[in-house]
Amino acid sequence: MSFYIGIDIGSTAIKVALADADGEKVASRVDPTGADFRANAVRSFERLMTDNGVRRREVRYILATGYGRRLFREADDSMSEITANAVGAHWVGQAYGGVATVINIGGQDTKAIGLDDDGHVNKFAMNDKCAAGTGRFLDVAARNLEIGLKELGDYHHRVQGMPATLNSTCAVFAESEIIGLLATGHGKPEIVAGIHAAIAKRTARLARRVGLGERVLFDGGPALNTGLVAALEEALMRELIIPPEPQTVTAYGAALLGRDIDRSERALAEEELP
């Protein structure tokens, strides 16, 4: 058997995906990045193989991507997360009739990617200058509200009236604003809905810069937040495609890219044989 592994080392989570020779995803896992990027990435990588009975010699190519991709020396090569995300989203999106726009919210940045019919990147925009609108902002907001990150979606759907208005576009000031809203008697559901609305507004502006296609795929860990999904759908005025494992789309794309590179190298080697 031949396998390909993509590893996406982000600021908050390490995502590893295992693909077979046909490009089908065999397995994946998500682990916290923690303080020691490299050690935790190696541990996650080894656990994926052990849990699925894959031996190292069966892995033909390993491609790293993400924030800490250059730290993973076990990889055969590395590539930007823009490219890996596009490839993974294109492959996953085929089950939905194809996608033209990808929105990815990560721990430290938000990306919008425009794809052509073959899944190649034709335009992209990224916000990595401010934590507002990122997964980190959601972490901070949940901590200030003293609720679990996974509870944000539930709180969003409990809102009875209008969402609270957050005027700050800076994560630091928005954090102070959240504390102020709590102090003035606003309920947690109102504040959560307001946070999601503010993030959705910023993300929608970013997505419109690359152009909104008929089908838009939303991936990354925050895509598991049903409240944020609802807010973003309202801001974009369309239903979003949420893949079954939104956190691992980029890692899966890296595995597929590794498979393509391996095939190209083998084909070239065969051409050079006498």
Side-chain angles (χ1 to χ4, degrees):
M1 293 285 291
S2 295
F3 296 99
Y4 301 89
I5 289 180
I7 181 164
D8 175 15
I9 306 174
S11 60
T12 58
I14 295 165
K15 291 78 66 176
V16 194
L18 178 71
D20 62 20
D22 294 324
E24 297 299 323
K25 186 195 289 185
V26 176
S28 62
R29 67 177 295 129
V30 180
D31 295 298
T33 298
D36 193 336
F37 278 40
R38 174 170 160 68
N40 291 334
V42 170
R43 189 175 298 113
S44 186
F45 166 77
E46 290 177 345
R47 284 176 178 171
L48 181 77
M49 291 200 298
T50 300
D51 290 348
N52 292 279
V54 176
R55 292 167 292 186
R56 180 63 182 84
R57 64 175 179 270
E58 294 178 302
V59 180
R60 293 198 56 88
Y61 209 93
I62 304 166
L63 190 70
T65 188
Y67 184 76
R69 63 185 179 273
R70 301 193 187 281
L71 299 176
F72 194 69
R73 295 191 293 272
E74 287 73 12
D76 295 290
D77 203 352
S78 64
M79 194 165 290
S80 83
E81 57 267 37
I82 297 289
T83 303
N85 196 180
V87 170
H90 175 68
W91 190 280
V92 170
Q94 291 177 13
Y96 304 90
V99 296
T101 310
V102 182
I103 294 172
N104 175 283
I105 298 181
Q108 290 191 333
D109 59 39
T110 301
K111 295 181 283 289
I113 308 170
L115 305 180
D116 64 18
D117 292 340
D118 296 318
H120 300 131
V121 177
N122 56 30
K123 195 172 184 181
F124 77 91
M126 176 167 29
N127 165 38
D128 59 354
K129 304 299 182 185
C130 176
T134 67
R136 176 169 174 73
F137 183 38
L138 289 170
D139 289 339
V140 170
R143 186 167 64 248
N144 285 323
L145 292 168
E146 297 183 341
I147 62 178
L149 185 63
K150 293 181 180 179
E151 295 180 274
L152 289 174
D154 292 336
Y155 272 85
H156 177 101
H157 296 298
R158 290 182 204 168
V159 67
Q160 297 296 317
M162 293 295 293
T165 301
L166 274 77
N167 296 310
S168 300
T169 57
C170 171
V172 175
F173 294 132
E175 182 177 359
S176 299
E177 195 171 3
I178 291 168
I179 295 171
L181 288 169
L182 285 169
T184 54
H186 285 79
K188 291 183 181 181
E190 297 171 68
I191 298 173
V192 169
I195 290 166
H196 289 158
I199 293 174
K201 184 177 179 180
R202 292 173 65 92
T203 304
R205 284 201 301 265
L206 193 72
R208 290 191 176 98
R209 284 168 54 187
V210 304
L212 287 174
E214 181 181 350
R215 287 179 289 273
V216 180
L217 183 142
F218 178 26
D219 65 17
L224 295 169
N225 180 336
T226 58
L228 181 57
V229 171
L232 191 51
E233 288 183 332
E234 183 175 344
L236 293 173
M237 295 183 290
R238 69 193 63 206
E239 186 176 355
L240 297 172
I241 294 170
I242 312 297
E245 296 181 342
Q247 287 175 286
T248 63
V249 172
T250 299
Y252 180 39
L256 293 171
L257 282 164
R259 183 187 70 136
D260 291 344
I261 293 170
D262 177 58
R263 285 182 167 183
S264 296
E265 289 179 350
R266 282 190 289 163
L268 184 60
E270 289 176 0
E271 289 178 4
E272 292 176 350
L273 290 174

